[in-house]
Amino acid sequence: PAASGACRSSMWGSQSRAASGPGGVRAVNLAELLQSSVGDEEPAPARRPPQEGTVLLFPGQGSQFVGMGRGLLRYPNVRDMFRVAEKVLGYDLLSLCLRGPQAELDRTLHCQPAVFLASLAAVEKLHHQQPSVIENCVAAAGFSVGEFAALVFAGALDYTEALYAVKVRAEAMQKASEAVPSGMLSVIGRRESNYNFACLEAREHCKSLGIENPVCEVSNYLFPDSRVIAGHLQALEFLQENSRKYYFKRTKMLPVSGAFHTRLMEPATEPLAEVLKSIKIQKPFICVYSNVDSKKYVHSKHIQRLLVKQLVSPVKWEQTMHAVYERQQGVEFPYTYEVGPGKQLGAILRNCNLKAWKLYKHIDVSEDEEAEEM
């Protein structure tokens, strides 16, 4: 916990929970900025042009790669973050991130803490290189486990406690995924694609094979005509074999071990719910959007409830992108930074909102490039 406090001081200065001192003052200013630039139904006049506001996006499982974090170790607090992680997790996460092997890093129980930490370490790099981006941040969103990193950044969760919650979540999801042969299928469809009907027929196919209570449903809404469908493997194989019937342009099995964000993850909800009851959750200092309903979190109980519900609910990322970037005609878009491994959220943003994507940048987590464009 002491190390965790050190971690927070630089990285989340503008989102500090302190009631007094520089962190507290800046947090109040950030809250005021948030009220003025995002606001409720009748926002006050913005204190700075909207285009100076920033949005941070935190990636999820699947973005990890061996070597991530190498370019971040020279920034303040990052080594401390990894030291804390070793104590919380019981293994050397830094070595796993830098040297792999990839198969171990890809395991659910390892990759979730790895992506969580690498994303917050990327925030540290961004804070060091461009502190104004952090100070002007008005909103954040995270994909699946990325939501935990977004909430730490926004001051709602303590780093160490959130890391422990991610550990419990990852282990519970790994266990749940091993109980049933299941997976996730990425689908690029057409306008005439009927995903719900396709899932219904896939479930009927599973019943004909003797599978009781089969699962096959949309688990991720990515961008128009792009979905991830998750469930029993036999259902996903049926969809691949009959993809033309459902007007699917392309299907691809994802390299994950289970049907995340479906009711097959039900066994993972209780362990996560228990740990979330035991940690302190604050109201975030900036807007953080929930995967479950694409709306802003409003209070700590809301966060506690929806983080559990997220395990068995589809990730409404496409809807979240519309909520984050919705604005009146003529109002400038904010600068967007994807903090963490991979550029998947940038690619999705490009397909959801091309104008918003034009102000997108990625903060690299591998080798540090002196000539890197900020």
Side-chain angles (χ1 to χ4, degrees):
S4 135
C7 289
R8 293 163 60 101
S9 59
S10 167
M11 191 184 312
W12 306 297
S14 59
Q15 283 79 25
S16 170
R17 290 183 183 171
S20 58
V25 172
R26 288 174 70 187
V28 170
N29 288 344
L30 194 69
E32 287 173 358
L33 165 64
L34 184 60
Q35 192 61 38
S36 64
S37 59
V38 180
D40 290 316
E41 289 181 16
E42 293 185 15
R47 296 193 172 195
R48 46 170 68 93
Q51 70 269 24
E52 287 186 21
T54 61
V55 172
L56 264 57
L57 302 180
F58 294 81
Q61 181 172 346
S63 58
Q64 70 279 352
F65 59 90
V66 172
M68 69 179 188
R70 184 171 285 119
L72 305 174
L73 294 173
R74 70 185 183 90
Y75 295 102
N77 301 317
V78 172
R79 287 186 185 274
D80 279 346
M81 291 168 65
F82 276 107
R83 275 192 283 269
V84 169
E86 189 168 358
K87 290 179 182 175
V88 172
L89 301 172
Y91 58 88
D92 187 350
L93 184 63
L94 177 58
S95 175
L96 188 59
C97 285
L98 296 184
R99 290 180 279 279
Q102 185 75 44
E104 276 301 302
L105 182 59
D106 285 345
R107 294 185 71 201
T108 296
L109 80 167
H110 293 143
C111 72
Q112 289 191 20
V115 170
F116 168 84
L117 198 159
S119 297
L120 291 172
V123 173
E124 184 68 10
K125 172 180 177 178
L126 182 58
H127 185 259
H128 180 80
Q129 293 185 338
Q130 282 188 290
S132 63
V133 170
I134 305 300
E135 289 157 13
N136 292 347
C137 185
V138 295
F143 194 103
S144 193
V145 73
E147 204 164 283
F148 285 81
L151 287 164
V152 172
F153 169 71
L157 298 175
D158 170 76
Y159 168 73
T160 307
E161 291 181 337
L163 178 60
Y164 180 69
V166 167
K167 172 184 185 284
V168 170
R169 178 187 191 267
E171 289 170 350
M173 289 175 73
Q174 177 91 39
K175 189 176 177 183
S177 66
E178 288 167 357
V180 178
S182 54
M184 303 180 81
L185 181 72
S186 173
V187 176
I188 303 293
R190 296 182 169 88
R191 280 189 181 179
E192 55 268 45
S193 300
N194 187 330
Y195 303 96
N196 291 335
F197 177 67
C199 289
L200 173 66
E201 293 211 327
R203 290 195 297 271
E204 292 300 320
H205 169 72
C206 286
K207 286 178 185 175
S208 74
L209 300 177
I211 298 171
E212 290 185 23
N213 299 316
V215 172
C216 183
E217 56 201 52
V218 174
S219 61
N220 297 171
Y221 293 85
L222 300 180
F223 54 86
D225 300 323
S226 177
R227 305 281 185 272
V228 174
I229 295 174
H232 283 83
L233 280 181
Q234 296 92 329
L236 304 182
E237 288 162 2
F238 173 83
L239 291 179
Q240 283 188 294
E241 289 164 11
N242 294 277
S243 60
R244 290 183 67 181
K245 176 182 177 181
Y246 303 116
Y247 302 101
F248 295 164
K249 275 198 280 193
R250 196 162 67 245
T251 61
K252 182 185 177 186
M253 288 297 295
L254 297 180
V256 296
S257 57
F260 303 143
H261 304 289
T262 72
R263 60 184 170 85
L264 288 177
M265 288 295 111
E266 193 70 47
T269 57
E270 192 175 335
L272 180 60
E274 284 303 307
V275 74
L276 289 175
K277 281 179 197 169
S278 71
I279 67 178
K280 191 165 187 179
I281 303 176
Q282 307 269 20
K283 184 177 178 179
F285 282 121
I286 62 169
C287 286
V288 179
Y289 290 79
S290 166
N291 287 180
V292 173
D293 59 10
S294 69
K295 294 176 182 174
K296 297 173 232 181
Y297 282 117
V298 290
H299 52 74
S300 58
K301 286 288 182 191
H302 194 210
I303 294 170
Q304 183 182 321
R305 186 170 56 82
L306 290 188
L307 284 178
V308 175
K309 192 176 180 184
Q310 188 221 68
L311 286 176
V312 291
S313 305
V315 173
K316 294 186 175 177
W317 193 255
E318 179 185 344
Q319 296 88 327
T320 299
M321 292 299 92
H322 292 318
V324 170
Y325 297 103
E326 185 179 21
R327 60 206 56 244
Q328 293 176 339
Q329 196 168 359
V331 176
E332 296 270 1
F333 284 94
Y335 293 106
T336 296
Y337 295 82
E338 182 171 357
V339 281
K343 298 179 182 178
Q344 291 93 326
L345 300 184
I348 293 172
L349 179 59
R350 182 174 185 172
N351 284 284
C352 284
N353 192 320
L354 188 60
K355 287 183 179 177
W357 174 79
K358 287 179 179 176
L359 293 173
Y360 160 90
K361 293 176 183 180
H362 175 246
I363 304 305
D364 190 43
V365 299
S366 51
E367 295 293 351
D368 212 19
E369 301 157 22
E370 289 301 317
E372 185 182 315
E373 261 190 38
M374 294 298 297

